[in-house]
Amino acid sequence: MGSASRCFSLQNSCNASSAIGILYDPPLGFRFRSPIRKIVRMSATQTENPRISFESLPIKPPSHPTYDLWGVIKSALSEDAGDQGDVTCLATIPSDMEVEAHFLAKENGIIAGISLAEMVFHEVDPSLKVEWSQKDGDSVHKGLDFGKVYGRAHSIVVAERVALNFMQRMSGVATLTKAMADLASPARILETRKTAPGLRLVDKWAVLIGGGRNHRMGLFDMVMIKDNHISIAGGITNALKSVDLYLEQRNLQMEVEVETRTIEEVEKVLDYASQTKTSLTRIMLDNMVVPLPNGDVDVTMLEQAVNFIGRRFETEASGNVTLETVHKIGQTGVDYISSGALTHSVKALDISLKIDTELALQVGRRTQRA
């Protein structure tokens, strides 16, 4: 194996006994060295690939204490390579051939994942050169050539699908987020924890690129008292008391949100807060948007709750949030609107990476995708 070869594992180690060892050689691709199953441990430190700094990105990924974005990229590449590498490339592409490939948008939308795609290409082969005419968050239209990558043909094709998978999903999230954020104004749109397993930070990064705001990253960075917590605690007041006591005893300071489902629960929360020093910062108004038979929604209950709370706490509407309803919800005076659909029902934006761009555009026009 040549000096250009690099060795790493899913735990950033070349120790085959502690993780799945992977060997990478640009002409050969990724090859498993030892199929030993271990749990992947995410690292909070960014020690990989100094060529790309998160601080230099136009829209930075959200912070997370244990999420290793480079580890996610490596895992995606290794699951694609399996134990043999790209056998089609090995059979058809000379190891020393260099090409230029272009990114083509096949539909209109908001592009996202450009920075992440560049990280994928650099992980596969640091000698690859990537150039963009657009940046994360920009609009693209069907048929637009918005970037290119050039260098070793084998490396480009090996990285292609993983880079596109990230970009297409993130662009779909960003496109829907942009549409909802524009309609929701002056309320601000949030996603939820309903993200693809293992892609929490990636999905939430796409929401930021689309102009949305991030809700809590996970279970650790915000207290969120939901219906099941309330039921187990014996009521909404007991749940709030328990949270305040927990935070006080541990000298913790963080945002606290409580879910309410009725006006009566809102009254109980406000009554508790009027008599007790509390860490509560936001009240969720869940399913107070009522669907009507004609497809419209009734926001009377939501408006009543928002007016009742006033400016004492932030407010968040949740439930029955769609592109058709979000504008009406946003006009009630609520501060935030959360939508799980931003990430759990995303439609990927169609993007391709083509070496023969003229032929790709001909086919695209024939199929009305360019």
Side-chain angles (χ1 to χ4, degrees):
M1 197 167 187
S3 60
S5 302
R6 295 183 292 142
C7 178
F8 63 84
S9 77
L10 296 185
Q11 290 183 314
N12 299 328
S13 167
C14 290
N15 184 350
S17 65
S18 63
I20 303 176
I22 302 173
L23 298 177
Y24 178 70
D25 190 341
L28 299 177
F30 288 89
R31 294 180 290 121
F32 278 89
R33 182 174 64 184
S34 177
I36 300 173
R37 297 183 61 190
K38 297 291 282 187
I39 296 174
V40 177
R41 180 182 178 276
M42 296 298 187
S43 170
T45 57
Q46 184 191 338
T47 58
E48 299 292 320
N49 205 329
R51 295 179 58 177
I52 302 177
S53 168
F54 292 161
E55 292 305 312
S56 68
L57 301 180
I59 301 177
K60 301 176 185 61
S63 61
H64 191 293
T66 61
Y67 196 97
D68 179 9
L69 190 54
W70 291 106
V72 171
I73 290 170
K74 290 174 182 177
S75 179
L77 289 167
S78 68
E79 75 176 359
D80 212 19
D83 61 352
Q84 296 292 327
D86 188 338
V87 293
T88 310
C89 278
L90 292 171
T92 62
I93 300 177
S95 61
D96 58 349
M97 177 177 287
E98 294 194 348
V99 297
E100 180 176 287
H102 290 251
F103 292 90
L104 302 175
K106 292 187 172 181
E107 56 184 323
N108 302 340
I110 303 297
I111 196 67
I114 281 178
S115 299
L116 185 53
E118 191 164 337
M119 292 163 70
V120 172
F121 285 111
H122 284 179
E123 182 59 42
V124 170
D125 184 351
S127 72
L128 294 176
K129 307 298 182 185
V130 189
E131 296 179 4
W132 308 97
S133 62
Q134 308 292 313
K135 64 182 184 302
D136 280 330
D138 285 349
S139 296
V140 295
H141 59 80
K142 185 166 66 172
L144 179 67
D145 179 339
F146 62 90
K148 64 182 179 179
V149 55
Y150 51 98
R152 287 191 182 99
H154 180 94
S155 299
I156 290 172
V157 178
V158 165
E160 172 190 0
R161 178 42 51 197
V162 171
L164 287 176
N165 283 350
F166 281 129
M167 288 183 72
Q168 288 178 307
R169 178 176 177 85
M170 290 183 70
S171 297
V173 171
T175 299
L176 180 56
T177 300
K178 172 64 173 172
M180 278 208 175
D182 288 349
L183 290 168
S185 181
R188 287 155 287 183
I189 199 76
L190 306 169
E191 85 294 83
T192 68
R193 285 169 48 240
K194 297 174 182 177
T195 55
L199 296 181
R200 174 67 55 79
L201 186 141
V202 172
D203 281 356
K204 286 180 174 282
W205 189 5
V207 169
L208 293 180
I209 292 170
R213 301 284 188 93
N214 285 153
H215 211 305
R216 60 176 178 160
M217 181 59 65
L219 300 173
F220 59 91
D221 58 332
M222 180 185 193
V223 175
M224 190 165 178
I225 309 169
K226 300 276 287 179
D227 52 356
N228 285 336
H229 303 111
I230 292 168
S231 297
I232 295 169
I236 201 163
T237 302
N238 285 346
L240 284 166
K241 287 179 180 178
S242 297
V243 166
D244 282 331
L245 181 62
Y246 177 88
L247 295 178
E248 182 181 5
Q249 289 177 339
R250 288 158 180 79
N251 196 27
L252 293 174
Q253 291 185 344
M254 61 176 59
E255 291 185 336
V256 176
E257 180 171 9
V258 63
E259 177 185 296
T260 60
R261 296 157 290 181
T262 65
I263 297 298
E264 290 72 27
E265 284 190 328
V266 173
E267 290 174 341
K268 288 180 180 179
V269 169
L270 295 178
D271 182 60
Y272 170 78
S274 68
Q275 301 178 43
T276 309
K277 182 181 178 181
T278 178
S279 296
L280 182 67
T281 54
R282 187 185 304 173
I283 300 176
M284 176 186 285
L285 308 169
D286 189 47
N287 286 315
M288 295 190 187
V289 176
V290 181
L292 299 174
N294 64 0
D296 198 1
V297 288
D298 181 358
V299 295
T300 303
M301 185 187 301
L302 177 62
E303 286 180 317
Q304 182 183 353
V306 169
N307 291 333
F308 194 28
I309 295 166
R311 305 311 306 169
R312 284 176 281 186
F313 299 99
E314 293 178 341
T315 53
E316 176 187 333
S318 177
N320 295 309
V321 178
T322 66
L323 281 172
E324 292 71 35
T325 65
V326 69
H327 178 71
K328 192 169 185 178
I329 297 170
Q331 302 307 301
T332 62
V334 71
D335 296 306
Y336 298 99
I337 302 171
S338 56
S339 170
L342 292 179
T343 54
H344 73 55
S345 300
V346 59
K347 176 185 177 295
L349 193 73
D350 200 357
I351 303 168
S352 64
L353 180 66
K354 296 297 181 183
I355 294 171
D356 189 343
T357 54
E358 182 56 38
L359 178 58
L361 287 171
Q362 288 179 19
V363 174
R365 285 190 287 269
R366 186 178 71 221
T367 57
Q368 298 183 353
R369 295 170 68 195

